[in-house]
Amino acid sequence: MGGIGMNFSVKIYNAAEIGRLRSGCQFYSLEFPEEVFRKSDEELVRVCNGVGPDDWSAALRKALTKLFGNYEVAAFVHDIRFEYLIGDCDSADLEFKRNLLRIWRKHYGWRRFIWPAAWVERRALLGIYALLRMGSQKAWEAVKKRKEADYAVQ
């Protein structure tokens, strides 16, 4: 979930994992910008930081990414939207929420209607979304500011 400072020195993914995440976008029929497939593996390795804001430690983000399981693909798309400032913060966050719920529906299928654990997980996902919303505008503005500073230097 893109963010505040963009600590590019710590890599969460490698090129093979970027390929897996791209495949996940298609497998789950997610919404995603064309940059998911247009940018090189190396570029996305640099940009995508796993689950959690950039100002969290790499160890914590790696652990959260592993715990996030299949839902990591939604964070991948969100990172790309933030890094390239595609659309606006609110639309990026709403897309993230829709993608989380698409993955949830695909994962549980028809069982989601009868399995209480599925609904517990859905509530947890909506809680994660609420947490994301608390800091996302600040993160969006930080990326925007960094991009403006980079552009001014050139």
Side-chain angles (χ1 to χ4, degrees), residues 31-133:
E31 298 173 43
F32 57 86
E34 66 183 30
E35 283 77 3
V36 166
F37 287 93
R38 196 171 53 105
K39 297 295 183 179
S40 70
D41 291 349
E42 295 75 23
E43 174 76 5
L44 295 181
V45 163
R46 184 185 68 78
V47 165
C48 298
N49 73 338
V51 175
D54 297 325
D55 57 349
W56 289 1
S57 75
L60 178 57
R61 282 187 283 114
K62 283 180 182 180
L64 284 174
T65 299
K66 189 167 181 72
L67 285 172
F68 218 52
N70 298 333
Y71 301 104
E72 163 191 22
V73 181
F76 168 71
V77 172
H78 194 257
D79 282 351
I80 292 168
R81 282 231 180 254
F82 263 58
E83 174 58 20
Y84 299 108
L85 298 172
I86 301 165
D88 59 43
C89 180
D90 291 339
S91 63
D93 288 354
L94 284 171
E95 178 187 70
F96 175 73
K97 179 182 179 182
R98 287 189 302 269
N99 283 341
L100 287 175
L101 294 175
R102 282 178 189 221
I103 295 166
W104 175 80
R105 282 191 297 276
K106 176 108 177 173
H107 177 71
Y108 285 103
W110 64 268
R111 296 172 301 156
R112 71 183 184 272
F113 298 111
I114 60 169
W115 199 4
W119 290 94
V120 170
E121 188 168 309
R122 186 178 191 278
R123 287 188 74 138
L125 293 171
L126 294 175
I128 288 166
Y129 173 73
L131 288 172
L132 169 102
R133 288 295 294 162

Side-chain angles (χ1 to χ4, degrees), residues 3 6 22 25 29 31 33 39 53 57 74 96 105 117 136 141:
M6 293 307 279
R22 284 179 169 143
C25 289
S29 302
E31 298 173 43
K39 297 295 183 179
S57 75
F96 175 73
R105 282 191 297 276
S136 65
E141 293 302 322

